[in-house]
Amino acid sequence: MLLIAVAAIVACWGFVLPKLAQLPAVRDRMEQFEQAGINPSAVFYTDHPKMAEIERRIDRVVNSEESSFWGR
């Protein structure tokens, strides 16, 4: 079973994913990420330059008086 699982992972990683990366839709998305300065393999997006702006916008929505969040 372990050998089958490893073979499946290798097949996906080595053959399926590279073929998917060649699809036009996937290539376009990868280019969009690259142009925006986003590393899609990054674990933390808090280092992205736009993250402070996004956090402020979310905070305004969550803490607004007419918000439906948190029973307000």
Side-chain angles (χ1 to χ4, degrees):
M1 286 302 267
L2 179 61
L3 186 59
I4 292 171
V6 169
I9 291 170
V10 167
C12 284
W13 204 274
F15 301 104
V16 175
L17 291 177
K19 291 293 183 190
L20 287 175
Q22 294 175 0
L23 294 174
V26 176
R27 276 187 297 169
D28 290 345
R29 180 61 61 106
M30 289 168 51
E31 287 176 17
Q32 287 175 346
F33 284 154
E34 190 174 306
Q35 289 173 357
I38 297 172
N39 179 358
S41 65
V43 177
F44 301 104
Y45 286 93
T46 53
D47 293 334
H48 190 273
K50 295 232 179 216
M51 198 60 205
E53 176 186 330
I54 294 168
E55 287 175 344
R56 283 191 299 273
R57 190 173 63 221
I58 291 171
D59 192 48
R60 269 196 318 270
V61 170
V62 169
N63 294 317
S64 70
E65 299 226 1
E66 57 273 349
S67 173
S68 62
F69 292 100
W70 324 128
R72 291 183 182 176

